[in-house]
Amino acid sequence: MVTKTQLQQFLPDARPVLIEAVVHGWTKAEAAGITSLPRIRQFLANIAVETQGLTRIEENLNYTSAQRIYDVFKGPAKARRFKSVAECVPYVRKPKQLAIKVYGGRLGNRPAPSTDGWDYRGGGMMQTTGRDNYRKQGFDANPQALRTPDTAFETAVREWWQRGCNGLADKGDTAGIRKKIQGGSGGLDDVKAYLKRAEKVFTTAAAPAPAPKPGDSVYTQKVMVESVQKRLMELGYTEVGGVDGLIGPLTRAAILAFRDDAGLELVPTVDEELMRALATAKPRQLTAEREQASPDYVRAKVPEVQANFFSKVISAGTAVISAVGALLSGVLDNLGGARGAIEPVREFASDVPGTVWLGVVAAIAALLFMINRHGEKTGVEAFRSGERR
């Protein structure tokens, strides 16, 4: 367990509210496997760099000199945002305009005049940046929520785990971790400096966690399962169903499908091996057989499409039977659902000819036929495109 006293020693200028967020949320860090000294030190050293020593959880773009803006954002030659210091002058002390300039039109952000560059600027304790990355963490609809202390820490834990940083920490691969978090080597020297400080403060690892009970493993923590489900959806494993934080039949099926494709052990569980593979995996490639699947093939694979097909057949049969049996009593019995809806009306209009009721029943049957046909067609197209299992 990381304590308030340790964090104050490690980062003496840290804001108390951010220290509290780390201490309060540390059980989530432990659930993500951040329990050994190498992992604790690396994790906190990187957070320290991203938050300027736990003093802020949103990117500071209020630069006071054009030279500093140029140094930070000039970028590589082929993608240079500013060609000269002079081009940076209009953005001095104008953080919003600068964010729109440097982040607009990239990372999933819309270009100016959209304010996406500003709305999705660096936020949280891992400085999540860009609309695409906010979306991955579930904050594209409300980016400001990521800039609250508790959420900022929880998201940092999730990102650390999603990117497979625990394994790199075990190897002492500081540069590798930095690349996972920052995308390059930016801040690497600062991380190394914080690591030296962390080695003096964090000298005792957390006690080994007791053996997990069935269904209570650290790998079944709701926040972790949700991150796995989101990642599986992103990769095209739509059989996962939804994102609910529970390892149910659909999630197990998606995990097994991914493990099979990735050449991992075929067990329906979440572990670090799975997380590392998810972090680097490419989107699922659909087979030609699936892309060209016939309706018959899809019906055999997808229960919902099969149900739509049978409902369509029954509806068509009902319409025909109703037409043939126009003069028979109990016309409405051919479509029980329709009868239940129409019978109260019939009680008030008992003098309406049977042929009229035939038309009503036939119309409802035809409507159900069209609805089910559309559902079947939509299901087939979704299966072929990979939008559903």
Side-chain angles (χ1 to χ4, degrees), residues 80-306:
R80 187 150 290 173
R81 300 177 185 90
F82 297 105
K83 296 180 181 179
S84 67
V85 175
E87 288 186 1
C88 302
V89 172
Y91 300 98
V92 172
R93 297 186 185 280
K94 294 181 179 178
K96 185 172 183 178
Q97 290 89 329
L98 177 60
I100 293 173
K101 165 68 175 178
V102 298
Y103 294 137
R106 54 190 295 264
L107 301 173
N109 295 332
R110 293 168 294 182
S114 167
T115 61
D116 279 4
W118 171 253
D119 297 334
Y120 299 99
R121 65 194 182 278
M125 291 191 187
M126 282 292 181
Q127 287 295 286
T128 302
T129 306
R131 189 169 195 148
D132 281 348
N133 291 316
Y134 271 73
R135 182 179 296 112
K136 288 178 181 178
Q137 301 305 324
F139 297 103
D140 58 315
N142 184 17
Q144 190 57 38
L146 184 55
R147 302 178 193 121
T148 58
D150 288 342
T151 303
F153 180 71
E154 291 175 15
T155 305
V157 170
R158 189 159 59 242
E159 288 199 40
W160 173 273
W161 198 51
Q162 288 173 338
R163 297 174 185 181
C165 293
N166 279 333
L168 296 174
D170 293 341
K171 299 174 183 177
D173 189 356
T174 303
I177 292 173
R178 197 68 200 141
K179 186 174 182 180
K180 289 284 187 181
I181 293 173
Q182 198 267 342
S185 59
L188 179 59
D189 290 340
D190 293 330
V191 169
K192 290 179 178 179
Y194 275 118
L195 278 174
K196 291 181 179 180
R197 189 185 301 180
E199 289 171 359
K200 298 178 181 179
V201 175
F202 303 102
T203 57
T204 304
K213 299 176 183 179
D216 192 35
S217 162
V218 295
Y219 299 112
T220 59
Q221 293 283 338
K222 189 172 188 295
V223 65
M224 300 306 169
V225 176
E226 286 178 347
S227 70
V228 169
Q229 291 170 330
K230 288 178 182 178
R231 182 60 177 154
L232 286 168
M233 289 289 287
E234 291 171 3
L235 294 173
Y237 291 85
T238 51
E239 54 262 62
V240 73
V243 178
D244 58 10
L246 302 175
I247 301 182
L250 296 181
T251 297
R252 287 196 291 271
I255 290 173
L256 286 172
F258 174 79
R259 282 181 172 276
D260 187 37
D261 291 344
L264 304 179
E265 182 183 3
L266 292 181
V267 291
T269 56
V270 178
D271 54 24
E272 288 187 25
E273 180 185 46
L274 177 70
M275 290 306 302
R276 286 194 296 270
L278 285 171
T280 58
K282 296 181 179 179
R284 187 183 203 176
Q285 297 296 312
L286 298 178
T287 63
E289 180 185 34
R290 177 162 181 160
E291 292 178 334
Q292 301 169 11
S294 67
D296 288 340
Y297 178 85
V298 178
R299 283 194 291 270
K301 291 287 185 179
V302 184
E304 294 89 336
V305 174
Q306 186 179 70

Side-chain angles (χ1 to χ4, degrees), residues 326-364:
L327 299 179
L328 300 178
S329 61
V331 170
L332 294 177
D333 289 339
N334 291 314
L335 191 61
R339 181 179 183 181
I342 297 171
E343 194 63 35
V345 179
R346 187 176 183 182
E347 290 177 1
F348 290 98
S350 59
D351 58 341
V352 176
T355 53
V356 174
W357 293 116
L358 163 67
V360 173
V361 173
I364 292 176

Side-chain angles (χ1 to χ4, degrees), residues 22-46:
V22 175
V23 173
H24 179 261
W26 194 255
T27 54
K28 293 182 174 62
E30 292 179 342
I34 308 174
T35 52
S36 67
L37 284 177
R39 296 180 181 186
I40 292 171
R41 292 166 179 168
Q42 290 277 5
F43 177 67
L44 291 176
N46 277 276

